[in-house]
Amino acid sequence: MTSLPVEDRMLIHDLISRYSRGLDTQRRAEFLGVFWEDGVLDSSLAGGEFAGHTGIAEWYDRVHSEAEFAPFLWGQHRPANVIIEPVAADTAHVWCQFALITRLDGAPRIAAYGEYEDTVTKRGGEWRFARRVIRIAADAAAPTSA
């Protein structure tokens, strides 16, 4: 297996954190900036695949404006158990779990949890998402019986 320098691993962790901050604090430009212009966001929330900054911006705007996504706004994404598997010096597969903590019914609650599966690439010394897949295992807006 190819290995990545510690500095690259730290930059990938930072990328994951900037994604969360951009999403959680409504910093749209920061959020879009973690994806390459030709990046893809595949989301089980707001269903489907969104390509390029235009498509990803459409997803972001929808999640931040439609009433059905209100339980997810102003929350805090908590990524955990990050596993970085290098593919090449400039490409890695990243997997991690997440919990989204937000206020529901006036109290802090877990609004959703699931996992991310990413392909990140390094171009010009910078790591960004080439592809991010969001899989929500459960969410408070649409509880499951299981």
Side-chain angles (χ1 to χ4, degrees):
M1 174 179 1
T2 304
S3 65
L4 288 177
V6 171
E7 180 181 357
D8 284 330
R9 290 177 173 278
M10 295 304 297
L11 289 170
I12 292 168
H13 276 271
D14 185 59
L15 177 69
I16 293 165
S17 296
R18 285 187 291 119
Y19 169 93
S20 295
R21 182 173 70 178
L23 189 57
D24 293 343
T25 63
Q26 296 190 18
R27 296 176 190 202
R28 187 177 189 265
E30 180 175 29
F31 179 81
L32 293 174
V34 300
F35 292 91
W36 293 112
E37 286 282 343
D38 59 351
V40 174
L41 176 64
D42 185 347
S43 172
S44 61
L45 176 69
E49 192 170 284
F50 299 83
H53 276 190
T54 301
I56 295 168
E58 175 188 326
W59 179 91
Y60 181 93
D61 293 341
R62 182 173 176 211
V63 167
H64 284 89
S65 66
E66 294 183 10
E68 71 181 283
F69 303 113
F72 304 102
L73 295 181
W74 296 106
Q76 295 180 356
H77 284 79
R78 299 295 181 171
N81 304 321
V82 178
I83 298 172
I84 300 169
E85 299 174 314
V87 175
D90 62 353
T91 305
H93 289 160
V94 181
W95 176 90
C96 68
Q97 296 169 313
F98 72 89
L100 172 59
I101 302 166
T102 193
R103 183 187 304 194
L104 294 171
D105 302 321
R109 304 247 193 258
I110 295 176
Y113 64 88
E115 66 183 25
Y116 299 124
E117 188 171 337
D118 306 317
T119 300
V120 296
T121 57
K122 185 178 185 181
R123 302 177 192 171
E126 182 177 3
W127 288 94
R128 292 189 190 184
F129 294 108
R131 180 176 189 84
R132 169 157 266 200
V133 178
I134 304 170
R135 292 188 189 95
I136 297 178
D139 77 67
T144 62
S145 59

